[in-house]
Amino acid sequence: NGGMQSSIEQMQLLRLLIECTGAIHILEVGCFTGYGSLAMALALPDDGRLVTLEADERWPAIGRPYWREAGVEAKIDLRIGLAEQSLEAMSGERFDLAYIDADKKRYGVYLDHALRLVRPGGLIALENMAWKGAVTDPDDDTRQTTALRAVARHVAEDPALTSCLVPIGDGVMLARRRGAPGSPASAPP
């Protein structure tokens, strides 16, 4: 399952984005072994917090000792359970940045929740949006590929978002909610 882990370059990009945006509250949908959680928590300021969601405790248990060793375990709020249920339970929480890297077939649902939870002016990063080139293959109609295409179309057509596909790793789609904090998300850029 090492192939499911984000690349070093992707984590460096996220670190830069966290620092550039001044993100303090981050949502990660799909913790897996906690490598991404570690990288993002290291980029957070001392008062920063990362909420990370994972269905199964066995994967983050691999990374937890490294969180402790790096001194960032207190910044990481690991929530075990189905991501959709965890996201539905988040009502009063607000995030500066969301990183989505979980079940590709559910990306549309995760994106909808991220759009609700990320503040105007905030950033949503979606991993695996190139899907090893499958999203551009008209003959590939697998559920994952179809779901990722639909999410890419949604992001591109949503007037409340400014987006860019960054061709590192397996493709990272960045989507910024338009509008500064406190202004309407649909305000023109």
Side-chain angles (χ1 to χ4, degrees):
N1 285 347
M4 290 176 31
Q5 184 171 292
S6 298
S7 72
I8 293 170
E9 295 83 9
Q10 290 162 305
M11 290 301 102
Q12 288 173 326
L13 174 64
L14 280 176
R15 178 182 179 159
L16 176 67
L17 293 171
I18 290 165
E19 290 180 10
C20 286
T21 62
I24 295 174
H25 298 108
I26 298 174
L27 171 64
E28 178 184 37
V29 181
C31 178
F32 191 42
T33 62
Y35 169 69
S37 307
L38 173 62
M40 289 185 283
L42 285 167
L44 282 170
D46 290 340
D47 62 341
R49 187 182 71 134
L50 170 76
V51 173
T52 185
L53 311 178
E54 182 56 50
D56 189 336
E57 170 65 42
R58 69 185 165 138
W59 296 116
I62 294 168
R64 194 183 297 267
Y66 299 100
W67 300 348
R68 196 171 307 118
E69 184 179 329
V72 297
E73 186 177 34
K75 292 181 187 180
I76 300 173
D77 177 1
L78 172 64
R79 299 181 188 179
I80 300 297
L82 296 177
E84 192 170 347
Q85 292 173 351
S86 296
L87 290 164
E88 286 171 0
M90 294 180 190
S91 57
E93 297 182 71
R94 253 337 204 188
F95 298 93
D96 303 306
L97 185 144
Y99 180 60
I100 301 173
D101 186 13
D103 177 10
K104 307 313 173 218
K105 296 180 294 292
R106 308 294 301 154
Y107 261 36
V109 172
Y110 304 151
L111 175 62
D112 288 343
H113 283 290
L115 290 169
R116 176 178 59 85
L117 295 167
V118 171
R119 66 169 172 76
L123 194 62
I124 300 168
L126 298 117
E127 167 65 277
N128 299 112
M129 291 302 291
W131 203 232
K132 297 183 174 111
V135 293
T136 61
D137 179 354
D139 296 325
D140 189 331
D141 61 355
T142 60
R143 285 183 62 202
Q144 292 95 335
T145 303
T146 303
L148 292 172
R149 275 193 206 115
V151 166
R153 193 170 25 261
H154 176 165
V155 169
E157 294 173 357
D158 189 331
L161 299 173
T162 303
S163 65
C164 175
L165 178 63
V166 182
I168 63 170
D170 194 21
V172 178
M173 174 75 72
L174 300 177
R176 180 185 177 270
R177 282 198 59 202
R178 289 188 174 157
S183 69
S186 59

